[in-house]
Each structure stands twice: as structure tokens, then as C-alpha cells.
Amino acid sequence: MTHRLTLKGMAAVAAWILSQSFAYAEDQLKVAVGQRGAWETSITELGQKAGFYKKHGLNLDVLYTQGGGETQQAVISGSTDLGTAVGTFGALAAYAKGAPIRGIGATQSGANDLLWYVRADSPIKSMKDTAGKTVAYSTNGSSTHQAVLAFRKHYNVDFQAVATGSPAATFTQLMSGQVDVGWAVVPFAVQAADEGKVRIIAKAGDLPTFQNQTARLIVTNADALRNRRDALARYVQGYRETLNWMYTDPAALKAYAEFAQVPESVAKRVRDDLIPRNDLDPDRLVGLDAVMADAVTFKYLTAPLSKEQLSEALIIPFK
């Protein structure tokens, strides 16, 4: 009898251990993120380090890219499960062409974080002075590309748009005279401006068409959406919780400053003065009619998407 009870006890212990192994097993998601160090694009990594994704049973493998165009291609190819900060223009255009891409969250509405700047000794005072000059953007299909096209239209000025990659690479090209106007996403260029090395001449949020539009998205591959929907939903929930933490906990400012390698004063200015929390709400999707009208104007789309197409392309809010 004692021997039989022992076997039963051992079986119970084994079952308990097995159940705990499954309970603590984490799903892995590969996430492509554009522009390492930006406030918006830091949400995934800071959330991972702070334990918000682990809480939802996720372990994230983060891959950094030079911009939304590269991120989008990583998602479309299936190299990553998710991509963040992908330009809405580019994502909708890719969907319209049959690419397996779906939006499951917004990462920026209003685009107040995108800046264009010149060297301190430049004669350029505003975008109106850029005729015949070179103006930078990150990659084709990105929100910076969208903004540069919008600047050209809004100010009716003929400048040469140049893809320069990351903010760091762009800064080098600007300071060496390879381009006349550089681009940055905050906090890049903010400290240099404070130190008098450069002057900020424009931001995407100055454009009427950008003020009430969702400029960038969280996107996933259609196959991942079919096969890993639960894990993707947990990612978006972790994203929401991380964002709330970043706007309420002083520890988040310290974590971001260390991650982005900027002073905490710059981190605080970015959060409190430059990027309202509402701009980063993943469940906020605004100005789609205007987005599609601009996409047609700039030849990203041949025609606006139908209501049925939009409901398939953009599943926001995502649960």
C-alpha cells in the first residue's frame, strides 16, 4: 500500500512540475523596430526590460532597422512577426499591392516627433528656403518620406529628397555637407540644437495634413496573424502597459535616458514637451480619409481603399 501511494505521489509531483513548465514557457516574437533610441521606438525594448511582456508570457527578439521601409520589408518577408513605427502610407500601399501585411496598432498620430534641421551656419531658415537643396528622409515608404513629400507640396518648393538612413547617419551627412537639411526623430538632434550646433527648421507636426493623421503603425504578417493571434494580442497589451508606465513612473525616464544615452533632462523634455501621450496611443486611429487622399496624391495608392479593404488591412484596436 505504501509503495502504491508513493507512486501516486510521484505521479502527482511529476504532473505538477510539468504544469509549471508550461505555465512559465514563454512565446517568442521577433520584432523589427526602426530607429533605435527614439522615444516612440523604445517602447518594445523598455517594456521587455521592465518585465511587461514577460508578464504576458512573451520573450521578444528585437531587431533594429534604419526606418519604416526596412521594417516593413522584414514583416512582409516573414523574417519578423511584428514591426513597429511603419509608415501608414507604405503599409497601405503594400497591402493594396497584395503584400501580406496587416496593421494591429498605431505608434504615432500627429508626428510631432519628426524634425528637420540644418547646420548652425546654414542660410536656410525654413522649408521655404530649400529650393534646389537636398532634404533628407530615412527610407522609401517611411513616414519621413511621406513628410518630405508633404513639405514639398505644402510649401510649393522644388528640392531634392534624399534617403539618408538612420538619424546618426543623417547627422554625419549633414555636418559633412553631403545634404543641406537633415531629418531626426526626437531625441536625436535635440541636444545638438540646445548646444547650438544645429537649428531645427521644421517638424512634421507643422503640416496641416499630419496634425490629425495616424502616421505610423504596428504591423504584422498575415500568416502570423492567422497562426499567432493570441501572442500578438498579448504583445499589444504589453505595449499599452509599457506606454502607461513610461508616462507615469519617474523610473521610466531614467531607464529611457540610459537606453538612449541622453541626459534625463532631455528625456523629460521629449516626454513632457514634445510627444503627448495621446500621440502614441496604439488604439488611436485617426484621419484615414486624409491619409488615403495624400497617398493617392503622392502615388502610393492608385485609389483609396474600400471600407472592406480597410477593415482587413487595419485591425485597430486589436484584441
Side-chain angles (χ1 to χ4, degrees), residues 108-134:
Q108 175 66 249
S109 297
N112 289 303
D113 61 334
L114 295 180
L115 309 174
W116 277 260
Y117 63 99
V118 297
R119 286 176 20 168
D121 60 357
S122 172
I124 298 172
K125 304 300 182 185
S126 74
M127 279 291 177
K128 296 178 182 179
D129 305 323
T130 57
K133 304 297 184 181
T134 50

PDB file of all heavy atoms in Angstrom, residues 108-134:
ATOM      1  N   GLN A 108       2.129  56.292 -33.767  1.00  0.00           N
ATOM      2  CA  GLN A 108       2.276  57.753 -33.763  1.00  0.00           C
ATOM      3  C   GLN A 108       1.157  58.395 -34.565  1.00  0.00           C
ATOM      4  O   GLN A 108       0.942  58.062 -35.728  1.00  0.00           O
ATOM      5  CB  GLN A 108       3.617  58.144 -34.356  1.00  0.00           C
ATOM      6  CG  GLN A 108       3.852  59.628 -34.524  1.00  0.00           C
ATOM      7  CD  GLN A 108       3.931  60.407 -33.218  1.00  0.00           C
ATOM      8  OE1 GLN A 108       3.030  61.191 -32.921  1.00  0.00           O
ATOM      9  NE2 GLN A 108       4.971  60.185 -32.445  1.00  0.00           N
ATOM     10  N   SER A 109       0.442  59.300 -33.928  1.00  0.00           N
ATOM     11  CA  SER A 109      -0.538  60.135 -34.618  1.00  0.00           C
ATOM     12  C   SER A 109      -0.161  61.587 -34.347  1.00  0.00           C
ATOM     13  O   SER A 109       0.043  61.965 -33.197  1.00  0.00           O
ATOM     14  CB  SER A 109      -1.957  59.848 -34.117  1.00  0.00           C
ATOM     15  OG  SER A 109      -2.333  58.517 -34.389  1.00  0.00           O
ATOM     16  N   GLY A 110      -0.026  62.369 -35.404  1.00  0.00           N
ATOM     17  CA  GLY A 110       0.378  63.764 -35.239  1.00  0.00           C
ATOM     18  C   GLY A 110       1.802  64.036 -35.679  1.00  0.00           C
ATOM     19  O   GLY A 110       2.108  65.121 -36.156  1.00  0.00           O
ATOM     20  N   ALA A 111       2.699  63.068 -35.521  1.00  0.00           N
ATOM     21  CA  ALA A 111       4.088  63.162 -35.990  1.00  0.00           C
ATOM     22  C   ALA A 111       4.834  64.373 -35.441  1.00  0.00           C
ATOM     23  O   ALA A 111       5.658  64.973 -36.133  1.00  0.00           O
ATOM     24  CB  ALA A 111       4.130  63.146 -37.516  1.00  0.00           C
ATOM     25  N   ASN A 112       4.569  64.732 -34.181  1.00  0.00           N
ATOM     26  CA  ASN A 112       5.295  65.851 -33.579  1.00  0.00           C
ATOM     27  C   ASN A 112       6.746  65.521 -33.267  1.00  0.00           C
ATOM     28  O   ASN A 112       7.521  66.399 -32.888  1.00  0.00           O
ATOM     29  CB  ASN A 112       4.586  66.283 -32.289  1.00  0.00           C
ATOM     30  CG  ASN A 112       3.267  66.970 -32.558  1.00  0.00           C
ATOM     31  OD1 ASN A 112       3.219  67.956 -33.271  1.00  0.00           O
ATOM     32  ND2 ASN A 112       2.185  66.438 -32.011  1.00  0.00           N
ATOM     33  N   ASP A 113       7.116  64.256 -33.414  1.00  0.00           N
ATOM     34  CA  ASP A 113       8.471  63.846 -33.052  1.00  0.00           C
ATOM     35  C   ASP A 113       9.462  63.903 -34.211  1.00  0.00           C
ATOM     36  O   ASP A 113      10.654  63.711 -34.023  1.00  0.00           O
ATOM     37  CB  ASP A 113       8.446  62.423 -32.496  1.00  0.00           C
ATOM     38  CG  ASP A 113       7.940  61.409 -33.505  1.00  0.00           C
ATOM     39  OD1 ASP A 113       7.172  61.794 -34.404  1.00  0.00           O
ATOM     40  OD2 ASP A 113       8.307  60.225 -33.394  1.00  0.00           O
ATOM     41  N   LEU A 114       8.985  64.150 -35.430  1.00  0.00           N
ATOM     42  CA  LEU A 114       9.866  64.171 -36.601  1.00  0.00           C
ATOM     43  C   LEU A 114      10.335  65.597 -36.872  1.00  0.00           C
ATOM     44  O   LEU A 114       9.518  66.507 -37.061  1.00  0.00           O
ATOM     45  CB  LEU A 114       9.139  63.625 -37.829  1.00  0.00           C
ATOM     46  CG  LEU A 114       8.732  62.146 -37.780  1.00  0.00           C
ATOM     47  CD1 LEU A 114       8.014  61.759 -39.065  1.00  0.00           C
ATOM     48  CD2 LEU A 114       9.944  61.247 -37.556  1.00  0.00           C
ATOM     49  N   LEU A 115      11.658  65.776 -36.897  1.00  0.00           N
ATOM     50  CA  LEU A 115      12.257  67.100 -37.044  1.00  0.00           C
ATOM     51  C   LEU A 115      13.137  67.175 -38.289  1.00  0.00           C
ATOM     52  O   LEU A 115      13.742  66.180 -38.693  1.00  0.00           O
ATOM     53  CB  LEU A 115      13.128  67.425 -35.820  1.00  0.00           C
ATOM     54  CG  LEU A 115      12.522  67.253 -34.431  1.00  0.00           C
ATOM     55  CD1 LEU A 115      13.588  67.476 -33.374  1.00  0.00           C
ATOM     56  CD2 LEU A 115      11.346  68.206 -34.230  1.00  0.00           C
ATOM     57  N   TRP A 116      13.232  68.385 -38.852  1.00  0.00           N
ATOM     58  CA  TRP A 116      14.190  68.660 -39.922  1.00  0.00           C
ATOM     59  C   TRP A 116      15.052  69.830 -39.478  1.00  0.00           C
ATOM     60  O   TRP A 116      14.544  70.808 -38.901  1.00  0.00           O
ATOM     61  CB  TRP A 116      13.460  68.955 -41.233  1.00  0.00           C
ATOM     62  CG  TRP A 116      13.099  67.683 -41.934  1.00  0.00           C
ATOM     63  CD1 TRP A 116      13.757  67.090 -42.974  1.00  0.00           C
ATOM     64  CD2 TRP A 116      12.014  66.793 -41.614  1.00  0.00           C
ATOM     65  NE1 TRP A 116      13.163  65.895 -43.312  1.00  0.00           N
ATOM     66  CE2 TRP A 116      12.083  65.699 -42.499  1.00  0.00           C
ATOM     67  CE3 TRP A 116      10.990  66.830 -40.672  1.00  0.00           C
ATOM     68  CZ2 TRP A 116      11.186  64.649 -42.462  1.00  0.00           C
ATOM     69  CZ3 TRP A 116      10.084  65.773 -40.625  1.00  0.00           C
ATOM     70  CH2 TRP A 116      10.182  64.705 -41.519  1.00  0.00           C
ATOM     71  N   TYR A 117      16.346  69.726 -39.700  1.00  0.00           N
ATOM     72  CA  TYR A 117      17.276  70.696 -39.131  1.00  0.00           C
ATOM     73  C   TYR A 117      18.431  70.968 -40.086  1.00  0.00           C
ATOM     74  O   TYR A 117      18.687  70.208 -41.037  1.00  0.00           O
ATOM     75  CB  TYR A 117      17.801  70.180 -37.790  1.00  0.00           C
ATOM     76  CG  TYR A 117      18.604  68.901 -37.892  1.00  0.00           C
ATOM     77  CD1 TYR A 117      19.998  68.928 -37.909  1.00  0.00           C
ATOM     78  CD2 TYR A 117      17.982  67.656 -37.974  1.00  0.00           C
ATOM     79  CE1 TYR A 117      20.744  67.760 -38.019  1.00  0.00           C
ATOM     80  CE2 TYR A 117      18.714  66.487 -38.082  1.00  0.00           C
ATOM     81  CZ  TYR A 117      20.097  66.551 -38.099  1.00  0.00           C
ATOM     82  OH  TYR A 117      20.830  65.391 -38.225  1.00  0.00           O
ATOM     83  N   VAL A 118      19.136  72.076 -39.840  1.00  0.00           N
ATOM     84  CA  VAL A 118      20.279  72.479 -40.662  1.00  0.00           C
ATOM     85  C   VAL A 118      21.455  72.793 -39.743  1.00  0.00           C
ATOM     86  O   VAL A 118      21.291  72.948 -38.532  1.00  0.00           O
ATOM     87  CB  VAL A 118      19.944  73.718 -41.515  1.00  0.00           C
ATOM     88  CG1 VAL A 118      18.833  73.405 -42.508  1.00  0.00           C
ATOM     89  CG2 VAL A 118      19.557  74.913 -40.642  1.00  0.00           C
ATOM     90  N   ARG A 119      22.622  72.884 -40.336  1.00  0.00           N
ATOM     91  CA  ARG A 119      23.784  73.324 -39.567  1.00  0.00           C
ATOM     92  C   ARG A 119      23.574  74.753 -39.084  1.00  0.00           C
ATOM     93  O   ARG A 119      22.858  75.547 -39.706  1.00  0.00           O
ATOM     94  CB  ARG A 119      25.048  73.252 -40.423  1.00  0.00           C
ATOM     95  CG  ARG A 119      25.529  71.853 -40.623  1.00  0.00           C
ATOM     96  CD  ARG A 119      26.728  71.693 -41.541  1.00  0.00           C
ATOM     97  NE  ARG A 119      27.543  72.880 -41.769  1.00  0.00           N
ATOM     98  CZ  ARG A 119      28.739  72.839 -42.361  1.00  0.00           C
ATOM     99  NH1 ARG A 119      29.240  71.680 -42.771  1.00  0.00           N
ATOM    100  NH2 ARG A 119      29.414  73.947 -42.567  1.00  0.00           N
ATOM    101  N   ALA A 120      24.209  75.088 -37.978  1.00  0.00           N
ATOM    102  CA  ALA A 120      24.020  76.413 -37.386  1.00  0.00           C
ATOM    103  C   ALA A 120      24.413  77.539 -38.335  1.00  0.00           C
ATOM    104  O   ALA A 120      23.843  78.631 -38.294  1.00  0.00           O
ATOM    105  CB  ALA A 120      24.815  76.522 -36.088  1.00  0.00           C
ATOM    106  N   ASP A 121      25.387  77.253 -39.235  1.00  0.00           N
ATOM    107  CA  ASP A 121      25.849  78.295 -40.155  1.00  0.00           C
ATOM    108  C   ASP A 121      25.112  78.289 -41.492  1.00  0.00           C
ATOM    109  O   ASP A 121      25.472  79.016 -42.424  1.00  0.00           O
ATOM    110  CB  ASP A 121      27.355  78.160 -40.395  1.00  0.00           C
ATOM    111  CG  ASP A 121      27.742  76.801 -41.005  1.00  0.00           C
ATOM    112  OD1 ASP A 121      26.848  75.945 -41.179  1.00  0.00           O
ATOM    113  OD2 ASP A 121      28.941  76.604 -41.300  1.00  0.00           O
ATOM    114  N   SER A 122      24.057  77.475 -41.617  1.00  0.00           N
ATOM    115  CA  SER A 122      23.317  77.390 -42.874  1.00  0.00           C
ATOM    116  C   SER A 122      22.469  78.642 -43.096  1.00  0.00           C
ATOM    117  O   SER A 122      21.872  79.172 -42.145  1.00  0.00           O
ATOM    118  CB  SER A 122      22.406  76.155 -42.866  1.00  0.00           C
ATOM    119  OG  SER A 122      21.551  76.165 -43.996  1.00  0.00           O
ATOM    120  N   PRO A 123      22.369  79.099 -44.344  1.00  0.00           N
ATOM    121  CA  PRO A 123      21.491  80.241 -44.636  1.00  0.00           C
ATOM    122  C   PRO A 123      20.014  79.857 -44.653  1.00  0.00           C
ATOM    123  O   PRO A 123      19.141  80.729 -44.709  1.00  0.00           O
ATOM    124  CB  PRO A 123      21.965  80.686 -46.026  1.00  0.00           C
ATOM    125  CG  PRO A 123      22.484  79.432 -46.660  1.00  0.00           C
ATOM    126  CD  PRO A 123      23.123  78.654 -45.534  1.00  0.00           C
ATOM    127  N   ILE A 124      19.697  78.564 -44.624  1.00  0.00           N
ATOM    128  CA  ILE A 124      18.312  78.092 -44.685  1.00  0.00           C
ATOM    129  C   ILE A 124      17.609  78.378 -43.355  1.00  0.00           C
ATOM    130  O   ILE A 124      18.077  77.943 -42.292  1.00  0.00           O
ATOM    131  CB  ILE A 124      18.257  76.586 -45.007  1.00  0.00           C
ATOM    132  CG1 ILE A 124      18.880  76.316 -46.383  1.00  0.00           C
ATOM    133  CG2 ILE A 124      16.825  76.066 -44.959  1.00  0.00           C
ATOM    134  CD1 ILE A 124      19.044  74.838 -46.703  1.00  0.00           C
ATOM    135  N   LYS A 125      16.516  79.095 -43.421  1.00  0.00           N
ATOM    136  CA  LYS A 125      15.760  79.446 -42.217  1.00  0.00           C
ATOM    137  C   LYS A 125      14.492  78.614 -42.053  1.00  0.00           C
ATOM    138  O   LYS A 125      14.013  78.419 -40.936  1.00  0.00           O
ATOM    139  CB  LYS A 125      15.382  80.931 -42.248  1.00  0.00           C
ATOM    140  CG  LYS A 125      16.561  81.878 -42.416  1.00  0.00           C
ATOM    141  CD  LYS A 125      17.569  81.755 -41.285  1.00  0.00           C
ATOM    142  CE  LYS A 125      18.710  82.753 -41.464  1.00  0.00           C
ATOM    143  NZ  LYS A 125      19.762  82.563 -40.429  1.00  0.00           N
ATOM    144  N   SER A 126      13.942  78.161 -43.179  1.00  0.00           N
ATOM    145  CA  SER A 126      12.722  77.367 -43.132  1.00  0.00           C
ATOM    146  C   SER A 126      12.655  76.511 -44.389  1.00  0.00           C
ATOM    147  O   SER A 126      13.493  76.636 -45.298  1.00  0.00           O
ATOM    148  CB  SER A 126      11.484  78.263 -43.047  1.00  0.00           C
ATOM    149  OG  SER A 126      11.233  78.884 -44.300  1.00  0.00           O
ATOM    150  N   MET A 127      11.645  75.678 -44.477  1.00  0.00           N
ATOM    151  CA  MET A 127      11.476  74.839 -45.652  1.00  0.00           C
ATOM    152  C   MET A 127      11.227  75.665 -46.914  1.00  0.00           C
ATOM    153  O   MET A 127      11.469  75.203 -48.020  1.00  0.00           O
ATOM    154  CB  MET A 127      10.322  73.842 -45.439  1.00  0.00           C
ATOM    155  CG  MET A 127      10.698  72.611 -44.639  1.00  0.00           C
ATOM    156  SD  MET A 127      11.826  71.534 -45.559  1.00  0.00           S
ATOM    157  CE  MET A 127      12.127  70.272 -44.304  1.00  0.00           C
ATOM    158  N   LYS A 128      10.787  76.902 -46.758  1.00  0.00           N
ATOM    159  CA  LYS A 128      10.559  77.757 -47.913  1.00  0.00           C
ATOM    160  C   LYS A 128      11.866  78.095 -48.631  1.00  0.00           C
ATOM    161  O   LYS A 128      11.855  78.506 -49.785  1.00  0.00           O
ATOM    162  CB  LYS A 128       9.865  79.050 -47.473  1.00  0.00           C
ATOM    163  CG  LYS A 128       8.474  78.847 -46.896  1.00  0.00           C
ATOM    164  CD  LYS A 128       7.891  80.171 -46.436  1.00  0.00           C
ATOM    165  CE  LYS A 128       6.516  79.991 -45.800  1.00  0.00           C
ATOM    166  NZ  LYS A 128       5.961  81.280 -45.317  1.00  0.00           N
ATOM    167  N   ASP A 129      12.991  77.927 -47.919  1.00  0.00           N
ATOM    168  CA  ASP A 129      14.300  78.305 -48.473  1.00  0.00           C
ATOM    169  C   ASP A 129      15.049  77.126 -49.085  1.00  0.00           C
ATOM    170  O   ASP A 129      16.248  77.227 -49.340  1.00  0.00           O
ATOM    171  CB  ASP A 129      15.178  78.919 -47.367  1.00  0.00           C
ATOM    172  CG  ASP A 129      14.526  80.091 -46.672  1.00  0.00           C
ATOM    173  OD1 ASP A 129      13.836  80.869 -47.358  1.00  0.00           O
ATOM    174  OD2 ASP A 129      14.700  80.226 -45.438  1.00  0.00           O
ATOM    175  N   THR A 130      14.366  76.007 -49.320  1.00  0.00           N
ATOM    176  CA  THR A 130      15.075  74.786 -49.723  1.00  0.00           C
ATOM    177  C   THR A 130      15.056  74.507 -51.225  1.00  0.00           C
ATOM    178  O   THR A 130      15.469  73.431 -51.659  1.00  0.00           O
ATOM    179  CB  THR A 130      14.500  73.563 -48.983  1.00  0.00           C
ATOM    180  OG1 THR A 130      13.095  73.467 -49.243  1.00  0.00           O
ATOM    181  CG2 THR A 130      14.736  73.673 -47.491  1.00  0.00           C
ATOM    182  N   ALA A 131      14.589  75.434 -52.039  1.00  0.00           N
ATOM    183  CA  ALA A 131      14.570  75.217 -53.495  1.00  0.00           C
ATOM    184  C   ALA A 131      15.978  74.895 -53.989  1.00  0.00           C
ATOM    185  O   ALA A 131      16.939  75.615 -53.695  1.00  0.00           O
ATOM    186  CB  ALA A 131      14.035  76.451 -54.199  1.00  0.00           C
ATOM    187  N   GLY A 132      16.100  73.792 -54.729  1.00  0.00           N
ATOM    188  CA  GLY A 132      17.388  73.383 -55.261  1.00  0.00           C
ATOM    189  C   GLY A 132      18.307  72.723 -54.249  1.00  0.00           C
ATOM    190  O   GLY A 132      19.431  72.336 -54.588  1.00  0.00           O
ATOM    191  N   LYS A 133      17.869  72.573 -53.003  1.00  0.00           N
ATOM    192  CA  LYS A 133      18.680  71.967 -51.948  1.00  0.00           C
ATOM    193  C   LYS A 133      18.329  70.490 -51.794  1.00  0.00           C
ATOM    194  O   LYS A 133      17.388  69.974 -52.407  1.00  0.00           O
ATOM    195  CB  LYS A 133      18.447  72.696 -50.623  1.00  0.00           C
ATOM    196  CG  LYS A 133      18.700  74.196 -50.675  1.00  0.00           C
ATOM    197  CD  LYS A 133      20.135  74.523 -50.994  1.00  0.00           C
ATOM    198  CE  LYS A 133      20.388  76.027 -50.932  1.00  0.00           C
ATOM    199  NZ  LYS A 133      21.780  76.384 -51.267  1.00  0.00           N
ATOM    200  N   THR A 134      19.090  69.808 -50.947  1.00  0.00           N
ATOM    201  CA  THR A 134      18.828  68.397 -50.653  1.00  0.00           C
ATOM    202  C   THR A 134      18.207  68.273 -49.263  1.00  0.00           C
ATOM    203  O   THR A 134      18.729  68.830 -48.298  1.00  0.00           O
ATOM    204  CB  THR A 134      20.117  67.567 -50.723  1.00  0.00           C
ATOM    205  OG1 THR A 134      21.144  68.204 -49.936  1.00  0.00           O
ATOM    206  CG2 THR A 134      20.595  67.419 -52.155  1.00  0.00           C
TER     207      THR A 134
END
